[in-house]
Amino acid sequence: MMQFPVILVDGDDPSLVSEALGEVASELVGDQDRNLVVEDYRGDAVDIAAVADSCATPPFLADRRVVIVRDIGRYTADEVAPLVAYLEDPLPTTALLLGAGEGTIAPKLIAAVKAKGQVRSTKVTPREAGDWLRSRLRSAPVRLDQQAETLVVEHLGEDLGRVGSMLEVLAAAYGEGARVTSEQAVPYLGEPGSVAPWDLTDAIDAGRTENALEDLHRLLKSGDRHPLVVLAILHRHVQSLLRVDSPSIRSEAQAAEAMGIAKGRSTFPAKKALKGAQQWGSVGIAEAIRLVAQAELDLKGASSLPAEAILEVLVARLCFRARAGRVALSR
């Protein structure tokens, strides 16, 4: 039996929302004929009043009705008012599934869902992405060996919505239940996915130029970040190093206070900044700030180089300065 008369699948990635909607719908349909049970509304010509009428209609030739409405955020508060009214007294034989998507979901509809049903989030934070991907891969229709799993996690990065289609392709190519090696997976991976901003700054701090440039390109291309947005990431990073670059700042708590981190929030960024400042040294930090400032002028017209090339030069120079700081610290 259905536990909730309404379920809202929330999230930022349309692929993950659609996949979750499909999974919930399959659970609700069970072994019944999907054509008799499911009504799936999508597109620009959906009449929400008609959807509400469908929800309020008893099922025919089945014991339940599953009504799916996708991209519910594209509708205004007035347009979803019939659904809000329906949810005041929902039919026990109807399960209404709402999928987030374009736009912002009307607050009254969210409140109605929470009052009568459940919100399921598909959102995954950047820090959770790796663990989420590994969990997803281990329940896949194919069995990836350890090297293949690591390869896929590193390749997809933050582009979690691609994993479902990639696994389907691997299953079609090698058969369900097949063991897939990294060499077998490579042809089906596609373009590298985006990465978290700290992947770039961590690579710079470590002086790993090749890795840092790869992360830069993934942020610009797969992550679709504007060059000025990437520059802002680098600006915030060197600024955090400057804030904790003081002989009086020796502890993680002191660094957190200098960075303005509110009490109760994680001080891990302060710990990283303090360690980074010690590695870079005051001279290196000053040079990093100068390089970032010059790159900003270049991006805004001082240089005729393409934006990507300007950032490549900046990242390479920052990596060089980071390595120089590490060498000085080791002496």
Side-chain angles (χ1 to χ4, degrees), residues 105-122:
I105 302 172
K108 286 186 177 180
L109 180 57
I110 294 178
V113 170
K114 290 181 177 179
K116 298 291 186 177
Q118 183 187 61
V119 177
R120 298 188 184 181
S121 178
T122 61

Side-chain angles (χ1 to χ4, degrees), residues 158 194-197 219-227 229-230 233:
E158 292 186 307
S194 185
V195 295
L219 283 170
L220 289 171
K221 295 176 181 178
S222 301
D224 199 24
R225 285 176 167 86
H226 191 279
V229 173
V230 175
I233 292 170

Side-chain angles (χ1 to χ4, degrees), residues 199-315:
D199 286 334
L200 171 60
T201 54
D202 285 353
I204 289 173
D205 286 347
R208 301 193 305 267
T209 306
E210 184 177 348
N211 295 131
L213 289 173
E214 180 183 351
D215 291 337
L216 169 66
H217 295 148
R218 291 174 71 168
L219 283 170
L220 289 171
K221 295 176 181 178
S222 301
D224 199 24
R225 285 176 167 86
H226 191 279
L228 287 173
V229 173
V230 175
L231 184 69
I233 292 170
L234 298 175
H235 178 270
R236 285 194 299 271
H237 180 61
V238 298
Q239 187 179 55
S240 69
L241 299 178
L242 178 63
R243 286 181 174 177
V244 300
D245 180 35
S246 170
S248 63
I249 299 177
R250 298 177 179 273
S251 69
E252 186 175 329
Q254 290 172 325
E257 183 178 359
M259 292 175 63
I261 297 176
K263 290 184 178 181
R265 298 286 298 275
S266 171
T267 58
F268 181 72
K271 179 180 180 180
K272 285 184 65 176
L274 185 59
K275 181 180 179 182
Q278 292 167 349
Q279 292 175 344
W280 279 78
S282 297
V283 174
I285 293 172
E287 177 64 9
I289 291 171
R290 187 193 69 78
L291 290 172
V292 171
Q294 183 58 54
E296 181 176 6
L297 294 176
D298 291 342
L299 285 175
K300 293 180 177 179
S303 171
S304 59
L305 285 174
E308 184 174 342
I310 291 171
L311 288 175
E312 288 173 341
V313 171
L314 171 62
V315 166

